[in-house]
Amino acid sequence: LPFDYFVLGYAMAHITSHWEIDLRNIKIGDEEIEMLVAGVNFKRDNFIQFKKNATLQKLNVSDNSIGDGGATALAEVLKENRTLQKLNVSDNSIGDGGATALAKMLKE
């Protein structure tokens, strides 16, 4: 249910304490990741607050079906997050485009 990921993304934009999200091996793909990002982006003013004050430290989306589209969407929403310490995207279908977007995000 992609809409569930929209709701999760919306909740992510409102959490203010240290946290970790584990979405490994639940068979999500680009559509679900894009809905998650859409949920984070739902209210632009809340999204800006999320990006600046997010406390997401660990995100595990390993063992899924995420491709370049999902990886690029993740990179976009996480690029200004300064608290992320661990990102696990192993065992997905991410190609060069998604890997490049994630690498650029982590470098910034």
Side-chain angles (χ1 to χ4, degrees):
L1 300 170
F3 186 73
D4 292 344
Y5 295 96
F6 177 87
V7 173
L8 176 60
Y10 185 77
M12 287 170 56
H14 294 84
I15 295 173
T16 58
S17 60
H18 298 286
W19 49 292
E20 172 180 351
I21 295 179
D22 188 344
L23 299 174
R24 73 180 152 202
N25 199 24
I26 59 171
K27 308 304 178 218
I28 59 175
D30 290 348
E31 182 181 9
E32 291 83 7
I33 291 297
E34 289 166 3
M35 286 299 288
L36 181 89
V37 169
V40 169
N41 284 329
F42 182 66
K43 250 184 148 178
R44 199 68 188 163
D45 55 343
N46 287 338
F47 177 57
I48 292 166
Q49 190 72 11
F50 169 77
K51 290 195 316 185
K52 292 182 178 177
N53 297 319
T55 56
L56 177 63
Q57 294 179 346
K58 297 177 186 176
L59 177 60
N60 185 349
V61 291
S62 64
D63 297 313
N64 284 296
S65 300
I66 300 168
D68 287 341
T72 301
L74 265 180
E76 182 63 31
V77 78
L78 292 173
K79 72 181 178 183
E80 292 187 37
N81 178 300
R82 301 293 179 223
T83 58
L84 187 67
Q85 297 172 2
K86 185 174 182 179
L87 174 63
N88 187 347
V89 294
S90 65
D91 297 317
N92 277 289
S93 301
I94 300 170
D96 291 343
T100 299
L102 288 168
K104 184 177 177 182
M105 176 273 301
L106 291 170
K107 188 176 180 182
E108 292 178 354

